Amino acid sequence: MKKLFTERKLGSKPRVMETLDDVTRQSLLELIKRRMGEHWFGQAFPEKCSDGYGFAGTELADLKKHMSLWDVIWPNDIEDDNPPSDDQMFDLLEYSYEQIAEADEGSYHSYMQHYHYGYDQDAGREKFAEDVNRIFERNGIAYELKDGEIRRFASAVLHEAWRRRPSKQVMPFWTSCWKPRAASS
């Protein structure tokens, strides 16, 4: 998603928050629920067409069982008054990245009234990571999803200092200490 008006006008929030706030947590959960509804988990957990030809979406019961085997939270069971911890959320994001693939509505099966899906895992992972990172950016979170892993920026303070650096080129401090050696004859 592109930058919204306030981000273009005021700039992005500094990415210094090292814990998830309620808005970020809810946004991430909704993203995963949306991808579940769009059958992006169907390659790993296919719901087979009852005619036996093709994949008709995601078998949510299999997905839920597999998530419980890995001790990953099930997004649809989360209650507002008992939000998951940051660690549980990060496990959910990394697990989802591993299983996700962009669903493509292929042919329509008119008798069964559903689509037979094809999947592109690389495209799905890339889009999922972009969405997660956009949510982190929008909410000032000092983490990113990269190569399937949640990673903290080198240092939130360092990142913020770098973001707010003057527009002119600033040389690192150690360059002022370095002097070239005189050429030997």
Side-chain angles (χ1 to χ4, degrees), residues 49-74:
C49 177
S50 55
D51 279 357
Y53 303 105
F55 300 123
T58 302
E59 181 56 61
L60 294 176
D62 290 348
L63 173 59
K64 183 176 182 177
K65 183 176 180 179
H66 194 258
M67 290 173 82
S68 71
L69 293 173
W70 283 90
D71 197 25
V72 175
I73 58 174
W74 179 247

Side-chain angles (χ1 to χ4, degrees), residues 71-83:
D71 197 25
V72 175
I73 58 174
W74 179 247
N76 295 332
D77 288 347
I78 295 172
E79 300 169 6
D80 290 338
D81 59 341
N82 188 20

Side-chain angles (χ1 to χ4, degrees), residues 16-137:
V16 296
M17 289 188 51
E18 295 191 8
T19 58
L20 300 178
D21 59 3
D22 291 338
V23 171
T24 304
R25 186 176 288 107
Q26 195 60 36
S27 298
L28 293 168
L29 288 169
E30 289 303 316
L31 170 65
I32 292 172
K33 289 178 189 178
R34 188 170 63 245
R35 293 297 182 246
M36 289 167 61
E38 294 168 347
H39 303 292
W40 281 39
F41 291 87
Q43 180 176 334
F45 304 96
E47 178 183 338
K48 295 187 175 150
C49 177
S50 55
D51 279 357
Y53 303 105
F55 300 123
T58 302
E59 181 56 61
L60 294 176
D62 290 348
L63 173 59
K64 183 176 182 177
K65 183 176 180 179
H66 194 258
M67 290 173 82
S68 71
L69 293 173
W70 283 90
D71 197 25
V72 175
I73 58 174
W74 179 247
N76 295 332
D77 288 347
I78 295 172
E79 300 169 6
D80 290 338
D81 59 341
N82 188 20
S85 70
D86 289 0
D87 291 343
Q88 289 175 310
M89 288 298 302
F90 294 156
D91 280 352
L92 176 61
L93 293 171
E94 288 185 3
Y95 176 90
S96 296
Y97 180 90
E98 286 299 314
Q99 307 302 329
I100 213 159
E102 183 176 19
D104 175 42
E105 289 181 352
S107 61
Y108 184 72
H109 189 173
S110 60
Y111 181 73
M112 300 303 289
Q113 298 184 338
H114 62 228
Y115 286 94
H116 288 174
Y117 292 91
Y119 296 95
D120 184 338
Q121 189 168 52
D122 291 336
R125 285 177 171 176
E126 183 179 334
K127 289 179 182 178
F128 181 71
E130 286 174 7
D131 289 341
V132 168
N133 290 331
R134 183 68 180 102
I135 291 169
F136 285 160
E137 176 187 18

